[in-house]
């Protein structure tokens, strides 16, 4: 077992109340990390009260993961663990998180703007937070593991790696994936992709409508789509829902960089950025964003800032 993980386990043992948080606008990696860790703690430690906090994801918490938990305790000492995020202001449940008696962070995002935690394990070389957790959990020979832990971790790795496809996916990602399939005794298509990985007809229609709105600058290879709140309403999606579709367009060869921008609060836009090879994180960081070299995001931008971000990306 890794040294860092041994320290984390010591803290888990110490506290009865444990809150597990992750980033806002959850995805499979964030939720997979949360629910796998909760399941694993309940499986291996007696008498723990573990809460996975945050808003439910429209689809994933309905079809694949349990519902997120409401915290029903007050005036109790508790441990808070954040997964797939390393900045307080990006945590879904920031206020509660900050009240914890001890904090732990396990993440794979760029660590340069990370806040400080009691224990921090950030490895930005890993494709998913679930890969880090899986490395930890699979190395704990004396601990139990079950079908759900494996399935949730696999889903997270699959989600962030574009189904074992992106550049940061390596031999270890496949090894871990194979071990999870073996130990969890599930089928990746029947028990995962077929449940949450397929596109509904409605979603596909939205994707097509968004596609028609994409502006593509041939010279730089930058493509983008911007939706204000009334356009989002017309499309029938939330800001998060529209930005999430970026993955579909990231497969288009000509789009070297793609930007999705959606108005989530009056006058404020949230952007997602995907790149095929150019490092975009340094540019995005200038606007207060974060993430990974080829996949990152930024929020609280005015429309002028969105436009200036796009023109900076064109210069790369
Ligand atoms: Mn992630």
């Amino acid at each position: 077992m890794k040294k860092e993980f041994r320290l984390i386990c010591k803290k888990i043992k110490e506290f009865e109340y444990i809150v597990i948080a992750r980033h806002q606008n959850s995805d499979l990696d964030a939720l997979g990390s949360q629910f796998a860790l909760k399941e694993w703690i309940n499986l291996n430690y007696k008498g723990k009260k573990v809460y996975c906090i945050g808003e439910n994801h429209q689809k994933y918490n309905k079809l694949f993961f349990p519902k997120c938990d409401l915290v029903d305790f007050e005036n109790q000492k508790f441990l808070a663990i954040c997964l797939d995020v390393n900045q307080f202001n990006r945590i879904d449940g920031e206020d509660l998180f900050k009240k914890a008696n001890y904090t732990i962070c396990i993440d794979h995002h760029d660590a340069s703007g990370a806040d400080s935690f009691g224990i921090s394990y950030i490895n930005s070389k890993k494709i998913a937070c679930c890969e880090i957790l899986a490395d930890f959990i699979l190395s704990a020979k004396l601990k139990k593991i079950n079908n759900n832990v494996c399935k949730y971790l696999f889903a997270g790795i699959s989600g962030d790696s574009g189904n074992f496809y992106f550049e940061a996916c390596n031999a270890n990602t496949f090894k871990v994936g194979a071990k999870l399939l073996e130990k969890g005794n599930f089928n990746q298509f029947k028990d995962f992709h077929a449940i949450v990985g397929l596109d509904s007809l409605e979603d596909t229609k939205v994707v097509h409508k968004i596609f028609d709105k994409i502006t593509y600058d041939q010279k730089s290879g930058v493509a983008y789509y911007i939706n204000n709140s009334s356009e989002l309403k017309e499309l029938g999606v939330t800001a998060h829902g529209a930005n999430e579709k970026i993955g579909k367009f990231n497969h288009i060869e000509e789009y070297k960089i793609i930007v999705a921008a959606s108005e989530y609060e009056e006058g404020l836009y949230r952007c997602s950025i995907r790149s095929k090879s150019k490092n975009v994180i340094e540019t995005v960081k200038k606007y207060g964003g974060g993430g990974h070299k080829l996949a990152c995001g930024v929020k609280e931008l005015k429309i002028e800032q969105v436009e200036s971000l796009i023109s900076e990306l064109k210069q790369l």
Side-chain angles (χ1 to χ4, degrees):
M1 205 196 281
K2 275 203 168 125
K3 189 185 109 227
E4 296 88 352
F5 193 45
R6 219 176 298 137
L7 292 173
I8 292 168
C9 290
K10 228 177 115 190
K11 285 290 164 192
I12 291 172
K13 216 171 157 188
E14 218 175 287
F15 285 86
E16 181 184 353
Y17 289 85
I18 301 167
V19 167
I20 306 177
R22 39 78 185 163
H23 59 74
Q24 301 153 355
N25 301 309
S26 63
D27 55 22
L28 285 168
D29 189 32
L31 294 167
S33 308
Q34 245 185 333
F35 286 96
L37 184 61
K38 177 182 175 175
E39 185 96 13
W40 187 82
I41 292 172
N42 282 331
L43 199 63
N44 288 289
Y45 299 86
K46 272 199 191 110
K48 301 287 175 194
K49 298 184 178 66
V50 191
Y51 302 83
C52 289
I53 62 162
E55 251 177 66
N56 285 309
H57 186 281
Q58 260 184 340
K59 181 172 166 183
Y60 303 146
N61 287 100
K62 199 155 69 188
L63 301 172
F64 192 73
F65 300 107
K67 288 258 178 309
C68 296
D69 300 307
L70 292 171
V71 168
D72 57 2
F73 65 83
E74 261 177 278
N75 309 319
Q76 297 283 0
K77 283 192 171 169
F78 70 98
L79 167 69
I81 306 173
C82 69
L83 304 170
D84 204 24
V85 61
N86 62 44
Q87 288 168 321
F88 295 140
N89 66 0
R90 293 197 60 238
I91 295 176
D92 192 344
E94 178 188 1
D95 295 343
L96 178 71
F97 190 90
K98 283 178 169 166
K99 288 186 192 135
N101 300 78
Y102 196 83
T103 58
I104 294 174
C105 169
I106 304 172
D107 188 28
H108 74 125
H109 288 89
D110 179 78
S112 59
D115 282 311
S116 83
F117 300 87
I119 299 173
S120 202
Y121 184 83
I122 303 172
N123 183 347
S124 56
K125 290 214 167 66
K126 293 289 178 183
I127 199 153
C129 184
C130 278
E131 187 181 342
I132 299 176
L133 272 184
D135 280 339
F136 282 162
I137 285 175
L138 291 167
S139 72
K141 298 262 170 352
L142 298 173
K143 301 274 192 230
K144 285 181 235 162
I145 188 163
N146 69 10
N147 163 275
N148 278 341
V149 172
C150 295
K151 226 169 59 175
Y152 296 160
L153 290 174
F154 187 92
I157 295 171
S158 199
D160 267 21
S161 67
N163 302 324
F164 296 83
Y165 168 82
F166 294 130
E167 190 189 325
C169 191
N170 57 26
N172 186 65
T173 321
F174 281 94
K175 269 183 213 158
V176 167
K179 270 189 205 157
L180 292 171
L181 276 171
E182 202 174 65
K183 289 200 185 282
N185 191 29
F186 64 96
N187 177 273
Q188 91 287 349
F189 186 76
K190 188 165 70 66
D191 301 313
F192 167 55
H193 294 299
I195 296 169
V196 284
L198 299 177
D199 303 324
S200 71
L201 203 51
E202 271 318 302
D203 258 13
T204 307
K205 284 180 189 165
V206 173
V207 168
H208 279 251
K209 281 185 199 157
I210 293 177
F211 178 70
D212 286 337
K213 298 175 82 171
I214 289 180
T215 307
Y216 167 52
D217 177 58
Q218 212 172 340
K219 199 165 147 254
S220 62
V222 172
Y224 59 92
Y225 59 96
I226 303 172
N227 284 295
N228 63 28
S229 53
S230 67
E231 291 169 301
L232 290 171
K233 216 168 167 188
E234 214 170 288
L235 287 166
V237 281
T238 60
H240 179 43
N243 280 16
E244 243 183 357
K245 307 279 183 286
I246 198 169
K248 300 287 167 201
F249 311 116
N250 197 22
H251 286 267
I252 296 170
E253 187 186 349
E254 285 80 358
Y255 297 172
K256 305 297 179 214
I257 295 172
I258 172 137
V259 181
S262 300
E263 188 181 14
Y264 65 102
E265 254 175 45
E266 213 188 316
L268 291 181
Y269 286 76
R270 164 188 300 140
C271 295
S272 299
I273 300 96
R274 299 289 180 273
S275 167
K276 297 222 170 48
S277 62
K278 286 242 157 63
N279 187 340
V280 288
I281 181 108
E282 295 309 322
T283 308
V284 172
K285 269 202 241 166
K286 284 198 251 169
Y287 291 80
H292 313 280
K293 215 169 62 176
L294 305 179
C296 45
V298 53
K299 56 179 189 174
E300 284 175 38
L301 296 189
K302 297 203 178 81
I303 189 69
E304 303 78 43
Q305 292 172 298
V306 173
E307 283 158 2
S308 107
L309 167 65
I310 292 170
S311 54
E312 273 200 60
L313 291 169
K314 284 183 189 168
Q315 307 305 318
L316 288 178

